[in-house]
Amino acid sequence: WADEGWGGFSMSNIVILVNPILSADEAVSSMDPLIAYGNQLKSEGVEGASVVVTTFPTFGSFFNAFTSDHVSLQVVGSHLAEASRLIRKDNFATAANRTALVKGLLDADAATPGLIVLLTAPTSYQAVEGTTSVTEAWRSSVYHITVVSSWDYNATYSEKRGNY
């Protein structure tokens, strides 16, 4: 999907994907397996499961409808320990690689609930060497994964240290 221009983010309770390249019909066709999976979850009565497929005339209208509740502005002033990793395309090359990736993501989320998958790497951009400041590591990645861990304002030094 990244090669088709899809981007967005995912957390444990939400996935938002957008595509500025495909037409509405092409987008629905591209996302058909994910839409079908979401509809299956709904039909099985999974709490909170929903599927929304829509178009927006501008990025601003999309942002106001979906993203404004999930941006980092809601954590400004919060106490957070954060780590991030780029997930390269070769992590998807084989079933064994995909299995190891899923296990690693599940382990990371179990250790510090708050894993965020940023589907923002420029995988579909055809860079010409030397024409962009973006590194090859970034261009050959599909996802940027972040994990966060927070603590209370009055946490002790050892409690804060434990989040790292």
Side-chain angles (χ1 to χ4, degrees), residues 59-156:
F59 177 78
S61 60
F62 155 75
F63 186 86
N64 290 334
F66 285 99
T67 312
S68 59
D69 290 338
H70 302 283
V71 296
S72 62
L73 295 176
Q74 70 187 23
V75 297
V76 170
S78 298
H79 306 92
L80 298 173
E82 185 172 350
S84 72
R85 295 291 181 266
L86 294 173
I87 307 299
R88 296 174 53 90
K89 291 177 185 178
D90 56 8
N91 284 286
F92 298 89
T94 67
N97 287 3
R98 290 187 298 273
T99 298
L101 175 61
V102 169
K103 181 183 181 323
L105 293 174
L106 291 172
D107 289 349
D109 191 51
T112 57
L115 184 126
I116 303 170
V117 179
L118 302 168
L119 301 94
T120 57
T123 56
S124 61
Y125 177 71
Q126 301 302 314
V128 175
E129 190 66 36
T131 62
T132 177
S133 62
V134 177
T135 68
E136 176 55 32
W138 180 245
R139 289 191 305 270
S140 62
S141 296
V142 177
Y143 299 147
H144 179 201
I145 305 294
T146 64
V147 291
V148 296
S149 182
S150 62
W151 59 85
D152 293 330
Y153 75 96
N154 60 349
T156 66

Side-chain angles (χ1 to χ4, degrees), residues 2-86:
D3 289 339
E4 294 177 354
W6 288 99
F9 73 94
S10 174
M11 297 166 27
S12 63
N13 62 342
I14 191 167
V15 176
I16 295 178
L17 296 169
V18 296
N19 191 314
I21 298 170
L22 301 179
S23 71
D25 290 339
E26 291 169 331
V28 168
S29 177
S30 171
M31 283 286 120
D32 188 58
L34 189 57
I35 294 167
Y37 180 66
N39 287 329
Q40 176 187 335
L41 295 176
K42 284 176 33 180
S43 69
E44 292 174 359
V46 173
E47 185 179 340
S50 67
V51 176
V52 176
V53 178
T54 190
T55 59
F56 292 94
T58 66
F59 177 78
S61 60
F62 155 75
F63 186 86
N64 290 334
F66 285 99
T67 312
S68 59
D69 290 338
H70 302 283
V71 296
S72 62
L73 295 176
Q74 70 187 23
V75 297
V76 170
S78 298
H79 306 92
L80 298 173
E82 185 172 350
S84 72
R85 295 291 181 266
L86 294 173

